[in-house]
Amino acid sequence: MVTVAGELNIGTAAAFGAHLTQAIDFRSPPRVEVDLAAVAFCDSSGLRELISAWK
């Protein structure tokens, strides 16, 4: 489970993507849940990281 809080924007998206990649690489088969309940704002760079991890 990856829990995210605050804002997902251009300044935080790279670190978020790195955490997602680490979580995916840790699981076999790769299955990761992302909790976005505490995210106040998400721009296209945050969405890009989510979509990249999904693919």
Side-chain angles (χ1 to χ4, degrees), residues 2 4 7-25 32 34 45-54:
V2 175
V4 186
E7 295 188 358
L8 273 176
N9 55 36
I10 195 162
T12 60
F16 172 61
H19 285 290
L20 281 177
T21 300
Q22 183 180 22
I24 290 167
D25 290 345
V32 176
V34 181
S45 57
L47 291 174
R48 181 188 68 233
E49 295 298 335
L50 283 168
I51 292 168
S52 281
W54 176 65

Side-chain angles (χ1 to χ4, degrees), residues 16-45:
F16 172 61
H19 285 290
L20 281 177
T21 300
Q22 183 180 22
I24 290 167
D25 290 345
F26 180 73
R27 295 266 311 165
S28 181
R31 179 178 177 193
V32 176
E33 294 180 32
V34 181
D35 179 4
L36 300 172
V39 172
F41 174 79
C42 180
D43 69 7
S44 60
S45 57

